[in-house]
Amino acid sequence: MNEVVSAALSDAFPDRTVAEVSEAGPSWNGANETFGVEFRDGGRAFCKVATDGNGTRIAREQAVLRYVSAERQIRVPTVLAADRNGSPPYLVTEPVSGRELSVVWNDTESRSGRTGADGDVGIGNAGDGNAGDGNAGDGNAGDGNAGGDAAPADVRASCVREDPVRESLLRRVGRMLAALHAERFDGHGEIVGAAGGGGAESPDDSTLPPDTAGHALAIEPAPWPDVLRSTVERTRGIGTTERLAGHYEAVIDCVESNRDRLTDAPAALLHGDVAMQNLFVVDGIAAIDWELAHVGDPARDLVRAEDQLLNGFDSTGPERYAAALHGGYRERAGGLPEGFAERRPIYEVVRMLGRSGFLDQWATHLNEPIDALADRAEAELRTRLAVV
């Protein structure tokens, strides 16, 4: 794989010599690999390659990174090079200044408020699903995210004590999400690249004003229930076990039976993978790994964020932490997303696929028998379905 990455870097930077390519961290998803890169001229970067040859995610992330940087005032990695048609498709970004939220979280001491020094971080590594988190790599990269609604990191299990610094961090995350969701779109849909400017990475759109060319998003419109259902199918495609395969159909049935409740949801740009390993503490909160971004219900992003940041396989983080996350969102947006309470139970059903689709990974992660986890996941899905 290092040879493949080196070939991609030679294509992207013919005038720069690569000194070293190293793995950025473990992942539960095999669709992507992310590598740290050091150039002989002293420069550093992170290179994500789509190992399955699917350049759609590369095109999406490239477009969204440029859009968010220009339009949403949220710090994201700078794109250095990308080729959705490469062999394999690749995306190269600069590191961003900051420190991974999971590291800051674990280093924080309630009494002193210490958050540690800054370091460098890079792009993350998610799969082609509508969620993902997992085990982070070292402090130099945010490569540790599985695709689909995958497993949370150990940091969530440590939410056991009152910590005003952690609550402050979560409020900052809430404000970042509210800033992302502030602009509403005319409809929901899948992001397929950038609109304007032409080129292999985007369709041409000569009707765009010159100052927005290359910053607008090319979106394939679709009703929100259809977009949500597509995320379920993508999760099914990268799930690592079929032990609870029936859960996918149960979740799809839930989405379909609640289509009327979902159709009129507001439409905003969603990150799609709000995990600790994809967030970094700077002056605010920087976010990486945008390949799962789409235009959908902002309530979905907030429900996902709460689950990914605070909950375990079948444990729930302290209510004060959820309140801090929501409080930060309210501070920026003036309130929670429209219809949040009404649609939340549906999104909590969808989130179950992060457990049932990756039971084998969870069994290793938690060092528990897979049979016991399967029984608990079955019971939890029934409980969640009953309250929709």
Side-chain angles (χ1 to χ4, degrees), residues 152 311-316 352 355 362 366 368 372-373 375-377 380 384:
N311 300 337
F313 185 84
D314 49 10
S315 62
T316 303
M352 274 305 300
R355 282 78 165 168
W362 274 104
L366 299 175
E368 293 192 41
L373 294 181
D375 290 343
R376 283 147 56 188
E380 180 63 22
R384 296 189 185 195

Side-chain angles (χ1 to χ4, degrees), residues 61 96 101 132 146 249 259 285 376-377:
E61 183 163 12
V96 298
L101 179 58
E249 295 308 321
R259 180 171 284 268
I285 296 291
R376 283 147 56 188

